Amino acid sequence: MLRQRSSRLAALLAGAVNAGWAAAAVREQLNTAPGDKVQELTLQQLSVALSAYVASSMQPPARVLQQVSQRLEQVLHKEFNADDITTALNSLAFFGHQASETLIEAIRASLARTYFAEITPVQLGTLMLAIAELGHRNHKLLSAVAREVVDRVDDFGPVELSEIMWSFAVLGHRHERMVDVVTQSLLFRLSDMPVASMSQLVCAFAVLKHKDAVTDVFLDAVSDEALKKVEAFEAGDMANMMWAYASLGHWSYVDADLISAVTARMLRVHKELNASSMVNVVWALAKTDYAGNANRRTRTLLDNIAKSAMSQMECFTPEQLSRLLWAFSTLHHWHEELYDAVAAETLLQVNSFLPCHLADMVSAYAHMVHHPGPLLDQMTHRILPKLDTMDAGALCSVLWAHGVLQTLTPDLFDKVCQTLETKSLGEFKPHDFERAFHAELLLEADLESKKREDFRKLPKWIRQYAYRAWQDRIYFDRNVTWFQQEVVSDQMFCHLSGSLVSYSTSTSTQSLPKPLTGVTYMSLIELGVNFELEKFLADGCHTVDIVLRIPGKPRLGINMDPPQRFSSNRPYRPLAEAVCQRRLLAAQGWEMITLPQHEWRRNVSQKERAVYLEKLLDCSLEDSHDSLKRITNDSDASAACRKAALQAAAAAARAAQLQEHG
């Protein structure tokens, strides 16, 4: 009976080889065949047998997979066919079977025995992809393949080279010589390279973290070629390529035309993106120089991706959810429905998240000033027992986020600070110190408003560095002011600055007004408002851009918020930076008038901006039953003096420009 069943299986497989298999029949015979009979099958028959299972999409018994894998090791010592072994390996990988190291070693020995003479470049490329799918890294095999590629690189086409490079990347094997040879060879063959292979190769560079001068030249050439072929890219390939460029830090060197073309292409194919590709796209956009200042096309793309992501939320892994939220917050893109959907999905998977991913998420929610509801307590509960596994940056982010969301307690602050104290100085970045100090200021202000007890501050050595980093942030603001387009020239404003300062009633040391904020100062002067420029408060921790000298309002100021402090799309929500600044200044008794970019730029002319400022000031004076006109009702002579001073300064600026240009 056993002999009859074995011969039936052999006959069926032989017929399948010649005329295509009957998948169900092969599967039935193989499931019931005794183990010793499976060991009699040839390499070709094994390949066909596994393919029968793949064709029927049915998982074979573990016993069958193990027997087939063992038989493959045996036959490889006698025969080798690249197509058959590739099919067999792909089938094993398809069913998640962990092939043994001895099987991969048998493949290496077969290749070495034939000196690669029996395998073509195309077959080698597909074989290496199959080995990469199994995840076994055999250094001898990879070194032998690398030598073969280096010696015969001109025999390999762009597709095969990209496949081999990708297999090395998946297996985490760096071979610098092979990478250099492949890069130099393909640099002059990019026009013949399919876009899918182009994306695959660039992703291999990113996974291997390989970047040098030659790679930079190659990436520039790829970007030029990609711009010509942008419409040929599939959505997934384009997303992967964007991720690779961002991972390699090469977005800064990419021409703006390519980024624009890629964004336009993504707008047309975004519905084809899966969860991983969506994350790659938004993460790559967040790594560009345009983060926080996205154009209309990018904002539309982000809205579309947000809608697609919400419909596939259950497909995202914990890490992908974290990266998705981080990217949207880094891009300052407000989409309340997406943030709530991510919170709901994270709540279901919260026990699967690593503490570092949860720290990124709570920081992202805080940056957008959006409370994630019950998720926040769950994330904190998950983070607290694992504080010692988190780096200094993640710990500082947790403190800062809770401070922004007004959920920071003295107990939580103390627990995190105890862990921070165990970290070395080298683990901190200036940004980490800033966040830690910011959290302390926010907690202090919150406790004072509630008239509660004092709390333990940051550890002494950390506080020293944090205070210094905070002052650097105050004095050397990273956000360059956004009035650049409104000023004719820096030279003209230098002439105007003397007149502007003369109208400040303060006799303290003045810092000259920044050239980029000149129009605002000129508008205040035209309104007849006395003011002081850029006042640093006594504690050295806060600054007010413009202090207004209005009777009855000793602490009234204007802060000119740059676009980075608001969401990049409507309704232009103030972000954590703006909200916390107002909260901290309010705790010191300051009433602030906010001058945001999106409102300021609606008023084009100088007259419109003066009217806009007047309305803001009148609104702030309503409580005191006063008005700007009554406060600034000075003599006609004073008004004439102001006007004459401005005219003289403008004339001097024009004269200086004429003299400079000859």
Side-chain angles (χ1 to χ4, degrees):
M1 183 68 177
L2 291 178
R3 184 179 302 172
Q4 183 181 7
R5 184 178 298 166
S6 175
S7 61
R8 189 183 306 162
L9 174 62
L12 183 61
L13 289 173
V17 170
N18 296 325
W21 63 82
V26 171
R27 190 175 65 250
E28 180 183 354
Q29 291 296 320
L30 194 58
N31 284 346
T32 57
D36 59 333
K37 298 305 177 183
V38 173
Q39 301 302 315
E40 296 177 2
L41 299 179
T42 65
L43 175 59
Q44 191 176 38
Q45 291 171 334
L46 290 168
S47 172
V48 171
L50 287 173
S51 297
Y53 279 101
V54 174
S56 60
S57 298
M58 293 190 67
Q59 179 75 26
R63 173 186 62 82
V64 172
L65 289 176
Q66 186 63 32
Q67 291 171 354
V68 170
S69 181
Q70 291 173 354
R71 178 56 182 164
L72 283 173
E73 294 179 30
Q74 296 172 359
V75 299
L76 282 171
H77 292 295
K78 303 175 183 178
E79 57 177 310
F80 183 86
N81 181 280
D83 294 332
D84 289 336
I85 189 60
T86 298
T87 300
L89 293 181
N90 278 327
S91 300
L92 291 175
F94 179 81
F95 293 117
H97 179 70
Q98 296 294 321
S100 64
E101 293 184 12
T102 54
L103 174 58
I104 306 302
E105 176 60 25
I107 295 173
R108 184 204 65 78
S110 296
L111 288 171
R113 187 170 59 250
T114 61
Y115 298 99
F116 290 89
E118 298 180 8
I119 188 169
T120 66
V122 174
Q123 291 173 327
L124 184 58
T126 55
L127 175 62
M128 291 307 299
L129 286 179
I131 292 173
E133 282 291 321
L134 291 172
H136 270 296
R137 180 169 58 181
N138 185 298
H139 290 280
K140 291 183 179 179
L141 171 62
L142 294 172
S143 297
V145 171
R147 286 194 300 271
E148 186 72 10
V149 171
V150 170
D151 293 341
R152 299 171 48 198
V153 67
D154 292 335
D155 296 336
F156 287 80
V159 174
E160 297 86 66
L161 290 176
S162 65
E163 288 174 343
I164 293 173
M165 283 284 292
W166 177 244
S167 66
F168 273 61
V170 171
L171 294 171
H173 186 80
R174 296 174 64 95
H175 195 286
E176 302 293 340
R177 174 61 178 157
M178 185 190 77
V179 173
D180 289 341
V181 169
V182 169
T183 303
Q184 294 173 26
S185 174
L186 290 179
L187 186 60
F188 303 100
R189 292 193 278 168
L190 285 176
S191 59
D192 301 327
M193 194 171 189
V195 292
S197 298
M198 205 179 293
S199 175
Q200 187 179 51
L201 182 62
V202 174
C203 286
F205 286 134
V207 173
L208 290 171
K209 295 181 173 59
H210 181 89
K211 194 169 187 290
D212 53 22
V214 177
T215 311
D216 284 339
V217 173
F218 183 78
L219 291 174
D220 286 339
V222 169
S223 64
D224 292 340
E225 193 66 28
L227 183 58
K228 302 174 186 176
K229 302 177 179 179
V230 68
E231 293 300 324
F233 278 89
E234 297 291 336
D237 292 333
M238 180 64 76
N240 292 337
M241 191 168 178
M242 292 174 68
W243 168 84
Y245 269 81
S247 296
L248 291 167
H250 202 78
W251 266 126
S252 300
Y253 306 101
V254 174
D255 191 273
D257 290 340
L258 176 60
I259 296 179
S260 178
V262 167
T263 305
R265 173 65 176 162
M266 276 299 170
L267 269 175
R268 293 188 288 274
V269 299
H270 71 273
K271 292 182 179 179
E272 302 172 18
L273 296 172
N274 58 21
S276 176
S277 296
M278 280 188 273
V279 172
N280 285 344
V281 170
V282 295
W283 187 83
L285 289 173
K287 289 289 186 176
T288 67
D289 291 338
Y290 307 103
N293 192 25
N295 57 32
R296 184 171 62 181
R297 181 180 290 167
T298 303
R299 293 195 295 268
T300 303
L301 174 60
L302 291 173
D303 282 335
N304 290 337
I305 289 178
K307 293 176 183 177
S308 298
M310 287 189 291
S311 66
Q312 304 179 40
M313 197 54 62
E314 69 281 356
C315 300
F316 288 85
T317 66
E319 182 179 1
Q320 288 171 343
L321 286 171
S322 173
R323 292 178 65 195
L324 180 73
L325 192 67
W326 174 88
F328 268 84
S329 68
T330 301
L331 288 164
H332 301 176
H333 192 82
W334 173 247
H335 199 289
E336 186 173 10
E337 294 84 358
L338 174 66
Y339 295 147
D340 289 340
V342 170
E345 184 63 29
T346 302
L347 196 58
L348 298 175
Q349 303 185 42
V350 68
N351 291 329
S352 302
F353 278 78
L354 295 176
C356 59
H357 294 152
L358 291 176
D360 288 341
M361 293 194 76
V362 69
S363 177
Y365 277 115
H367 183 62
M368 300 303 295
V369 198
H370 183 69
H371 197 293
L375 174 63
L376 184 61
D377 290 337
Q378 290 295 322
M379 289 193 293
T380 305
H381 179 74
R382 174 83 175 158
I383 287 173
L384 281 177
K386 300 185 178 181
L387 290 176
D388 57 338
T389 66
M390 300 168 65
D391 60 30
L395 292 170
C396 292
S397 292
V398 169
L399 282 181
W400 175 81
H402 278 278
V404 172
L405 297 173
Q406 295 184 287
T407 55
L408 186 59
T409 63
D411 182 55
L412 175 59
F413 189 85
D414 187 52
K415 287 181 179 178
V416 177
C417 284
Q418 288 178 19
T419 308
L420 279 174
E421 200 165 11
T422 65
K423 305 297 181 181
S424 64
L425 178 61
E427 296 182 58
F428 289 83
K429 297 178 181 178
H431 182 62
D432 301 330
F433 284 125
E434 288 178 20
R435 285 197 156 186
F437 192 73
H438 203 182
E440 181 182 288
L441 292 176
L442 290 168
L443 178 58
E444 186 175 33
D446 189 45
L447 292 177
E448 286 181 0
S449 67
K450 298 176 182 178
K451 298 182 179 179
R452 294 177 58 182
E453 74 282 356
D454 198 4
F455 66 100
R456 180 183 174 186
K457 303 292 179 67
L458 287 168
K460 186 176 180 180
W461 74 269
I462 294 179
R463 198 174 194 280
Q464 289 176 344
Y465 284 102
Y467 181 71
R468 191 179 307 163
W470 183 262
Q471 285 196 317
D472 288 343
R473 177 176 175 274
I474 293 295
Y475 285 91
F476 307 102
D477 197 334
R478 292 168 298 182
N479 297 323
V480 177
T481 182
W482 39 268
F483 287 94
Q484 190 168 11
Q485 297 178 4
E486 285 92 345
V487 180
V488 177
S489 69
D490 289 356
Q491 184 182 21
M492 177 179 177
F493 193 81
C494 287
H495 286 280
L496 287 173
S497 62
S499 300
L500 294 175
V501 174
S502 68
Y503 286 102
S504 171
T505 58
S506 171
T507 57
S508 61
T509 302
Q510 295 289 329
S511 59
L512 288 178
K514 299 174 184 178
L516 305 180
T517 57
V519 177
T520 309
Y521 301 144
M522 292 171 67
S523 298
L524 287 171
I525 292 173
E526 288 185 358
L527 291 172
V529 178
N530 289 323
F531 59 90
E532 178 183 348
L533 306 176
E534 204 168 16
K535 179 179 177 62
F536 294 92
L537 304 189
D539 60 2
C541 298
H542 305 90
T543 182
V544 178
D545 292 338
I546 301 175
V547 178
L548 302 177
R549 295 306 184 188
I550 295 178
K553 292 280 187 176
R555 294 193 175 186
L556 178 63
I558 295 178
N559 268 345
M560 296 174 289
D561 286 332
Q564 292 87 346
R565 294 185 179 181
F566 295 86
S567 63
S568 60
N569 59 327
R570 296 182 186 277
Y572 302 113
R573 282 168 52 93
L575 303 181
E577 188 79 13
V579 171
C580 291
Q581 183 185 45
R582 297 174 199 173
R583 192 192 306 168
L584 291 174
L585 288 172
Q588 297 201 27
W590 281 87
E591 181 183 349
M592 299 306 301
I593 299 172
T594 300
L595 191 62
Q597 176 201 32
H598 57 274
E599 293 183 5
W600 180 258
R601 284 187 173 170
R602 290 175 189 166
N603 305 284
V604 180
S605 68
Q606 180 65 31
K607 182 178 180 180
E608 289 175 332
R609 288 173 174 174
V611 172
Y612 171 70
L613 274 176
E614 185 175 0
K615 288 181 179 179
L616 287 179
L617 292 170
D618 278 337
C619 288
S620 68
L621 295 172
E622 283 181 356
D623 294 339
S624 60
H625 305 289
D626 225 328
S627 70
L628 183 62
K629 288 184 178 179
R630 193 165 70 82
I631 290 174
T632 60
N633 188 22
D634 48 5
S635 66
D636 293 340
S638 298
C641 288
R642 278 198 306 275
K643 185 175 181 180
L646 284 172
Q647 290 175 343
R654 286 194 295 271
Q657 286 181 322
L658 291 173
Q659 184 177 3
E660 180 182 355
H661 295 292

